[in-house]
Amino acid sequence: MIDSHCHLADEAFEPDLAEVVDRARQAGLRHALCVLAAGNAAEARRADRVATLWPEVRFAAGVHPHEAGRFAGQPATVVDVVRAAVADRPGVRALGEIGLDYHYDVAPRAVQQLVFGRQVTLARELALPVVIHTREATDDTFAILREAGEGQVRGVFHCFSGDAGMARAVLDLGFYVSFAGVVTFPRAEDIRGAARIVPLDRLLVETDAPYLAPVPHRGQRNEPARVVHVVEALARLRGEPEATVAAGAVAAYEALFRP
Ligand SMILES: [Zn+2]
Ligand SMILES: [Zn+2]
């Protein structure tokens, strides 16, 4: 089992990180991708502890669309911040999470687009996959990936929240699709439709912990061990054994992130 996207270095885990890691291991998790905010020094210190407690963990580093406003007027400098975050940590296997969020619009859209595009270009240069966060910004996300990635960049759409049609577009672009606990939420029929059509070799599972706890833990702090509920839900709606889904997700994780 794997968790392809969690924020284990978040301050929410500071009090009991060792127990959280123990529970993940007991749940059968071998690997996890811990997503870091490039340039966040406090989180970087906590990430050192994550790496000590769970040496198999690998990292992604990037500037989230919510943070893009820091680079308004000087979007090119995002490249220096992300490059430094990658250089400082040997376990970085991806740039992310990066993308566009037009639901919250925390940063102006034009700035989000520039900051995202620069990071996609950097991913191409560094030959690293990207972890994409996109919300209500499907067309612009694809346009920037095509233009800045020039067909050379691969990655994953994390916490996939589109329908089957969007999943097909993601697959056509050569990307992976990662499902989180949202797939267990009652009103997620479109997302479940997408989860039925993604081939096993492009399917990833994640918690996005500490966010997005799946049913039956909804509303609580989420943690990597709970990825088993995502696998259960996917197995049920795809009509496949849980072991098949879990093995597929592990193989896809290894193919994409080379942990
Ligand atoms: Zn996200
Ligand atoms: Zn996340």
Side-chain angles (χ1 to χ4, degrees):
M1 192 80 80
I2 50 97
D3 183 354
S4 80
H5 186 116
C6 56
H7 299 265
L8 266 183
D10 189 279
E11 59 190 351
F13 294 116
E14 195 150 24
D16 59 345
L17 181 63
E19 286 88 344
V20 170
V21 169
D22 278 350
R23 284 195 291 272
R25 287 211 168 107
Q26 280 162 20
L29 273 74
R30 280 163 42 206
H31 296 293
L33 189 76
C34 174
V35 178
L36 301 175
N40 182 332
E43 192 185 54
R45 276 193 300 278
R46 292 191 295 268
D48 292 342
R49 201 159 153 251
V50 171
T52 304
L53 286 167
W54 193 354
E56 291 83 2
V57 162
R58 295 296 176 263
F59 296 92
V63 172
H64 192 284
H66 289 349
E67 302 286 327
R70 280 167 42 212
F71 300 92
Q74 38 169 4
T77 58
V78 73
V79 170
D80 306 325
V81 172
V82 176
R83 208 189 278 281
V86 172
D88 288 349
R89 193 167 296 282
V92 173
R93 293 291 187 277
L95 295 196
E97 55 190 289
I98 62 177
L100 303 172
D101 193 316
Y102 295 172
H103 179 75
Y104 288 106
D105 275 329
V106 176
R109 292 181 182 181
V111 178
Q112 292 189 43
Q113 291 160 13
L114 289 169
V115 166
F116 177 38
R118 296 279 181 171
Q119 293 181 92
V120 172
T121 303
L122 179 64
R124 195 184 63 198
E125 181 200 318
L126 299 176
L128 285 172
V130 290
V131 177
I132 299 297
H133 171 110
T134 182
R135 217 163 153 201
E136 296 172 22
T138 306
D139 292 349
D140 287 351
T141 300
F142 280 109
I144 290 171
L145 281 172
R146 287 202 184 93
E147 195 183 313
E150 289 181 4
Q152 306 295 309
V153 175
R154 292 289 173 269
V156 56
F157 277 59
H158 110 86
C159 190
F160 187 78
S161 56
D163 59 12
M166 182 177 166
R168 275 189 202 98
V170 169
L171 296 166
D172 286 347
L173 201 63
F175 274 63
Y176 293 68
V177 184
S178 181
F179 292 94
V182 178
V183 80
T184 67
F185 293 176
R187 292 211 251 195
E189 217 33 74
D190 275 357
I191 303 175
R192 282 189 280 277
R196 287 188 187 97
I197 64 113
V198 175
L200 210 47
D201 63 354
R202 297 278 201 92
L203 181 79
L204 287 166
V205 293
E206 65 171 87
T207 59
D208 204 14
Y211 314 109
L212 296 178
V215 174
H217 302 285
R218 205 172 168 182
Q220 303 169 18
R221 182 188 73 174
N222 199 3
E223 63 176 65
R226 291 191 177 149
V227 79
V228 297
H229 298 297
V230 179
V231 171
E232 278 165 21
L234 290 174
R236 206 176 319 119
L237 66 94
R238 291 166 62 90
E240 291 165 344
E242 281 174 35
T244 303
V245 174
V250 170
Y253 179 92
E254 289 174 344
L256 181 60
F257 296 121
R258 310 194 178 280

